[in-house]
């Protein structure tokens, strides 16, 4: 039983459970589901999801530490450029589809197919590639960079309401000051950062018209962190006990239940709500991600940058296809881009349909033989 619970938590299966339950509820009892969703949307999306985005920010912070994937531009350049390609091409395909359909009012959702669900993409990559294959860290770096750029897009292009820069700045400044003071005093507990600095930051985002779910993102970098990088998702090593990793360890399980509530609150759409936006989102993710990742990888190599040893162009295409699973972040972007209504429901279905990228990536890997090639020995 403990092993089963561990698998459910580690593989974010609670999110899937919440999504399936939401779909069933919304189609069997739409009125009661609508009442539930309306009652819980603010608490879940602008409150509980704070910790999901904080864990994403933690991965970004750690990746910049010595030994991390973002520590050296030479190590990070190709996957970072690939991440940009994996956002630019899907967005361009989405906008192009809107223009072709004569539906410019749908352009507001252009950032939805930029999303990559890091957890499910990673799980798909673990199924496809053997342990220590260079495609796995390449995908993780791409997904972390995608998350970082996605947070920027969300803050700039999808404010929660009318943006009030002065109110935002006046409240965020003391939040940063409190976080800096705590870091300066080497406060080891993460709670003062979350409650004190994080509370002020949440008020700043809310009053400033930005998404409060991002409120811990500027606070997380102030939490004391070890100097050496701890490999993302690596179950073969013992996680460090510094403040940042203690925060991540404590919140890992609660965030899985947050994701369950997020799926339950946001994924309930009528199965009949498949329309133009559905195919625009799903198609842009499943087609645009591999094209963008492969194209920018090839351009980066042609410009003189180096791919990781043992990482082929076929691997780049498969990684891009795996990154086409938008799910969680795509759902969040959809709720930010569109008001409740048909367009939002269609966009959510597109985010759900992006799961088709996983079996397509597995099939492509089988055909390319990527599942049989292990990572070459590290060069000294």
């Amino acid at each position: 039983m403990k092993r089963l619970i561990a698998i459910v938590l580690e593989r974010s299966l609670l999110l899937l459970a919440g999504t399936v339950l939401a779909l069933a509820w919304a189609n069997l009892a739409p009125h009661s589901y609508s009442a539930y969703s309306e009652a819980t949307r603010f608490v879940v999306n602008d409150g509980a999801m704070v910790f999901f985005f904080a864990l994403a920010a933690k991965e970004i912070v750690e990746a910049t530490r010595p030994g991390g994937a973002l520590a050296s531009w030479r190590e990070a350049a190709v996957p970072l450029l690939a991440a940009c390609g994996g956002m630019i091409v899907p967005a361009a395909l989405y906008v192009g589809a809107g223009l072709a359909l004569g539906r410019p009012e749908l352009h507001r959702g252009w950032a939805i197919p930029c999303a990559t669900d890091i957890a499910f993409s990673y799980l798909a990559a673990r199924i496809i590639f053997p342990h220590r294959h260079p495609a796995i860290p390449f995908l993780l770096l791409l997904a972390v960079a995608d998350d970082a750029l996605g947070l920027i897009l969300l803050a700039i292009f999808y404010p929660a309401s009318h943006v009030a820069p002065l109110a935002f700045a006046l409240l965020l400044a003391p939040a940063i000051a409190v976080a800096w003071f705590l870091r300066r005093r080497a406060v080891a507990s993460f709670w003062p950062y979350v409650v004190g600095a994080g509370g002020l930051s949440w008020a700043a985002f809310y009053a400033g018209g930005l998404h409060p779910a991002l409120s811990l993102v500027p606070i997380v970098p102030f939490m004391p962190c070890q100097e050496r990088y701890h490999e993302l998702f690596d179950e073969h090593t013992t996680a460090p006990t510094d403040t940042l990793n203690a925060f991540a360890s404590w919140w890992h399980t609660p965030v899985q239940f947050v994701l369950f509530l997020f799926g339950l609150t946001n994924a309930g759409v009528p199965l009949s709500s498949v329309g133009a936006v559905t195919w625009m989102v799903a198609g842009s993710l499943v087609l645009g991600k591999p094209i963008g990742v492969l194209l920018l990888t090839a351009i980066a190599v042609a410009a003189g940058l180096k791919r990781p040893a043992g990482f082929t162009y076929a691997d780049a295409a498969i990684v891009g296809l795996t990154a086409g699973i938008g799910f969680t972040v795509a759902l969040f972007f959809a709720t930010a881009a569109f008001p409740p209504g048909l367009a939002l429901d269609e966009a959510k279905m597109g985010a759900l349909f992006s799961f088709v990228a996983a079996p397509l990536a597995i099939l492509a890997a089988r055909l390319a033989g990527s599942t049989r090639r292990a990572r070459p020995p590290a060069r000294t």
Side-chain angles (χ1 to χ4, degrees):
M1 179 59 70
K2 288 183 178 180
R3 178 60 179 164
L4 177 61
I5 293 173
I7 291 173
V8 168
L9 294 177
E10 288 300 323
R11 300 190 178 184
S12 296
L13 296 184
L14 284 177
L15 172 59
L16 280 179
T19 299
V20 171
L21 181 57
L23 286 170
W25 188 358
N27 284 275
L28 294 175
H31 295 297
S32 63
Y33 177 79
S34 180
Y36 160 79
S37 182
E38 285 292 332
T40 59
R41 186 174 294 123
F42 177 79
V43 173
V44 173
N45 290 1
D46 291 333
M49 285 295 284
V50 164
F51 300 100
F52 169 78
F53 286 107
L55 293 187
K58 176 260 184 188
E59 304 295 2
I60 297 167
V61 169
E62 276 206 327
T64 62
R65 312 305 293 178
L70 295 175
S72 164
W73 74 268
R74 293 181 182 276
E75 297 171 349
V78 175
L80 284 177
L81 287 172
C84 292
M87 299 181 80
I88 294 170
V89 174
L93 288 178
Y94 179 94
V95 172
L99 290 173
L101 293 172
R103 303 280 301 277
E105 73 277 8
L106 300 179
H107 290 173
R108 181 168 171 78
W110 64 270
I112 300 172
C114 294
T116 292
D117 188 306
I118 187 170
F120 283 107
S121 295
Y122 170 74
L123 290 173
R126 287 289 302 273
I127 294 171
I128 294 168
F129 298 105
H131 181 57
R132 296 187 63 79
H133 192 286
I136 295 177
F138 190 99
L139 170 68
L140 285 173
L141 175 52
L142 184 152
V144 167
D146 195 292
D147 275 357
L149 293 171
L151 296 179
I152 295 170
L153 292 179
L154 187 63
I156 295 175
F157 295 102
Y158 297 106
S161 59
H162 177 70
V163 177
L166 182 60
F168 176 71
L170 289 176
L171 286 168
L172 187 63
I176 297 298
V178 169
W180 176 86
F181 175 78
L182 293 171
R183 175 67 178 257
R184 179 88 173 177
R185 299 286 295 179
V187 174
S189 171
F190 61 81
W191 286 109
Y193 295 90
V194 172
V195 177
L200 286 170
S201 182
W202 191 94
F205 277 79
Y206 181 77
L210 302 175
H211 283 282
L214 304 177
S215 58
L216 279 180
V217 172
I219 305 303
V220 164
F222 288 95
M223 294 185 187
C225 176
Q226 66 167 13
E227 288 302 314
R228 297 294 300 176
Y229 169 68
H230 170 64
E231 187 173 346
L232 305 179
F233 301 107
D234 189 353
E235 68 270 26
H236 300 288
T237 61
T238 302
T241 56
D242 55 76
T243 303
L244 184 59
N245 280 284
F247 166 81
S249 177
W250 198 95
W251 280 102
H252 174 74
T253 297
V255 162
Q256 300 308 308
F257 289 94
V258 166
L259 291 176
F260 170 81
L261 292 174
F262 177 78
L264 184 61
T265 298
N266 294 282
V269 293
L271 294 177
S272 60
S273 59
V274 174
V277 186
T278 303
W279 305 118
M280 289 168 66
V281 170
S284 298
L285 278 165
V286 176
L287 295 176
K289 284 285 185 181
I291 293 172
V293 169
L294 179 59
L295 180 62
L296 265 291
T297 298
I299 291 174
V301 173
L305 298 174
K306 291 185 177 181
R307 289 173 289 152
F311 185 79
T312 68
Y313 286 119
D315 294 333
I318 294 165
V319 163
L321 191 51
T322 306
I325 305 172
F327 198 40
T328 310
V329 184
L331 278 176
F332 196 91
F333 272 39
T335 61
F338 294 116
L342 182 59
L344 176 58
D345 288 347
E346 291 182 0
K348 287 181 177 180
M349 288 300 291
L352 297 177
F353 281 4
S354 71
F355 265 118
V356 74
L360 289 177
I362 293 171
L363 176 61
R366 298 288 182 188
L367 294 175
S370 294
T371 57
R372 295 190 297 273
R373 289 184 286 106
R375 184 175 185 171
R379 288 175 293 187
T380 56

